[in-house]
Amino acid sequence: MSKSYPKKEKLKSKKLIEQLFSEGQSVSAFPLRLVYFKTIFDEDIIAKTGVSVSKRNFKTAVDRNRIKRLLREVYRLNKTMYFNNITTQYAFMILYIGKDKPTLTQIESKMKHVFEKFSSKVSE
């Protein structure tokens, strides 16, 4: 698995996003929340992922976009570590639910924690 984040791995389908939030499960490690849903894609990819930041907590688009860039970058750099032993396909939405502006290292540690929780919950 390469360390890129191509278009086919991005979660863009409105139907799939609605299904993800209505039927999906979630794990949290403040300030991140991961909503996941087991599904089947036409492409041979393991996961489609989207990121979201609340407009309620961050009024300016500059702040929201910066946090989304950080979330995508941490996901891109570490996704090989998360999905080495997973064979089923998932749709993910990573939500930033905190009120403070994070740093890259903070997001990286919490992202690892939330994906460890996800792995343990899926393996049960």
Side-chain angles (χ1 to χ4, degrees), residues 1-116:
M1 182 176 241
S2 68
K3 285 194 173 188
S4 63
Y5 187 44
K7 191 173 183 177
K8 68 179 183 179
E9 290 183 11
K10 294 180 181 169
L11 182 62
K12 294 184 177 233
S13 168
K14 199 167 189 173
K15 285 182 183 177
L16 188 57
I17 292 171
E18 287 174 4
Q19 190 177 19
L20 175 71
F21 281 108
S22 64
E23 301 173 30
Q25 298 174 309
S26 69
V27 290
S28 292
F30 189 82
L32 295 180
R33 184 169 163 233
L34 177 72
V35 182
Y36 62 94
F37 179 67
K38 190 175 179 179
T39 186
I40 298 170
F41 304 120
D42 295 335
E43 301 97 10
D44 60 337
I45 55 172
I46 294 173
K48 285 196 178 203
T49 308
V51 296
S52 179
V53 180
S54 173
K55 194 173 186 179
R56 179 186 294 166
N57 296 337
F58 295 95
K59 302 295 183 204
T60 61
V62 173
D63 293 336
R64 288 194 304 273
N65 291 339
R66 169 127 179 100
I67 295 169
K68 287 191 281 189
R69 277 197 309 272
L70 290 173
L71 289 170
R72 281 191 292 263
E73 181 66 6
V74 169
Y75 172 77
R76 181 187 73 81
L77 291 173
N78 296 307
K79 72 177 180 173
T80 54
M81 185 174 63
Y82 306 144
F83 303 129
N84 275 343
N85 53 3
I86 293 178
T87 56
T88 54
Q89 295 177 326
Y90 285 95
F92 293 112
M93 182 64 81
I94 302 167
L95 306 164
Y96 185 81
I97 53 176
K99 294 188 186 324
D100 300 324
K101 294 180 192 174
T103 62
L104 185 72
T105 53
Q106 289 171 334
I107 288 182
E108 194 166 16
S109 66
K110 293 299 179 176
M111 185 89 72
K112 287 178 183 174
H113 192 90
V114 83
F115 271 102
E116 286 170 7

